[in-house]
Amino acid sequence: DAMVIQNPRYQVTQFGKPVTLSCSQTLNHNVMYWYQQKSSQAPKLLFHYYDKDFNNEADTPDNFQSRRPNTSFCFLDIRSPGLGDAAMYLCATSTRRGSVQYFGPGTRLTVT
Amino acid sequence: AQSVSQHNHHVILSEAASLELGCNYSYGGTVNLFWYVQYPGQHLQLLLKYFSGDPLVKGIKGFEAEFIKSKFSFNLRKPSVQWSDTAEYFCAVNAESGGGADGLTFGKGTHLIIQP
């Protein structure tokens, strides 16, 4: 029944060591989003894909990249994680822009 | 850019008490409004939404919210809370622009604890 799946649920990486988080969906939705949620803060949009069209938020650091090889999968790559990148990373999908978003369980990233 | 403000960060109530969580947003144009809930150990899920029409919307589990355009508000209410309503509640806004609405702008969340 899982609709938006994120792997792994917990990820530990070292300072400066590239890390990739993955998201997959069984909903066949056109739009996929990545949010960053730091402790006691609101989720913050990093970027989203509308089909293959990539949309980056203006204040998303260059250190963060994303790939969407097909409709079902989307990846978040952090090229050189810093201690400040430790957070929960949420993936979400929607049928179109502006409609209800369905969230995955998140990946909690720890940077040591 | 839009912003969302939730007035109460921590709320503690007894079972059967009435609940109202405040949410205000800043954006002058057309918005879609949402309340999401995150139960302990679970993912964010939709509680209710407002796109257009009747400004009083009903969601799951007896929750409702009222959109007051003149006040830029979308407050969440429940007449009688239950212990199982203990969760984090997020108000979110999706602003319509020329290219269509993009991601959600969230408030900081309200941590609701219901005491038996």
Side-chain angles (χ1 to χ4, degrees), chain B:
Chain B
Q2 63 268 26
S3 65
V4 179
S5 174
Q6 290 183 240
H7 313 305
N8 315 100
H9 296 301
H10 297 276
V11 174
I12 301 174
L13 294 172
S14 298
E15 276 194 312
S18 64
L19 170 72
E20 181 160 2
L21 300 182
C23 173
N24 286 89
Y25 66 93
S26 65
Y27 185 73
T30 302
V31 293
N32 299 324
L33 297 157
F34 305 83
W35 276 96
Y36 279 85
V37 61
Q38 188 167 26
Y39 298 104
Q42 297 188 27
H43 59 276
L44 278 165
Q45 53 189 287
L46 183 71
L47 203 54
L48 46 77
K49 65 184 185 294
Y50 173 81
F51 287 174
S52 63
D54 188 344
L56 184 62
V57 293
K58 296 190 182 299
I60 60 171
K61 304 188 179 185
F63 286 90
E64 64 179 32
E66 184 175 13
F67 171 50
I68 303 178
K69 189 174 182 180
S70 60
K71 294 185 178 181
F72 298 90
S73 70
F74 190 55
N75 292 353
L76 180 70
R77 299 194 292 251
K78 185 171 183 178
S80 177
V81 294
Q82 301 172 308
W83 177 79
S84 59
D85 293 326
T86 294
E88 190 87 19
Y89 291 81
F90 292 93
C91 181
V93 167
N94 188 288
E96 295 277 348
S97 61
D102 297 324
L104 292 168
T105 299
F106 284 89
K108 289 190 174 182
T110 297
H111 188 201
L112 176 65
I113 296 174
I114 306 301
Q115 297 176 329

Side-chain angles (χ1 to χ4, degrees), chain A residues 3-74:
Chain A
M3 296 183 290
V4 182
I5 303 157
Q6 291 188 244
N7 287 307
R9 295 290 306 276
Y10 300 91
Q11 175 75 55
V12 180
T13 191
Q14 293 177 339
F15 183 94
K17 184 175 181 181
V19 65
T20 294
L21 309 182
S22 103
C23 176
S24 63
Q25 54 139 335
T26 60
L27 299 164
N28 203 34
H29 283 172
N30 291 326
V31 195
M32 294 187 78
Y33 307 82
W34 280 104
Y35 291 85
Q36 178 193 62
Q37 185 179 21
K38 295 187 177 180
S39 181
S40 301
Q41 295 186 25
K44 181 179 178 300
L45 181 67
L46 294 173
F47 25 59
H48 75 278
Y49 273 94
Y50 186 83
D51 287 335
K52 295 182 179 180
D53 181 26
F54 177 69
N55 297 271
N56 199 29
E57 292 300 295
D59 55 356
T60 298
D62 293 339
N63 198 24
F64 291 83
Q65 304 285 321
S66 186
R67 296 172 283 134
R68 189 178 185 185
N70 53 52
T71 300
S72 300
F73 285 87
C74 195

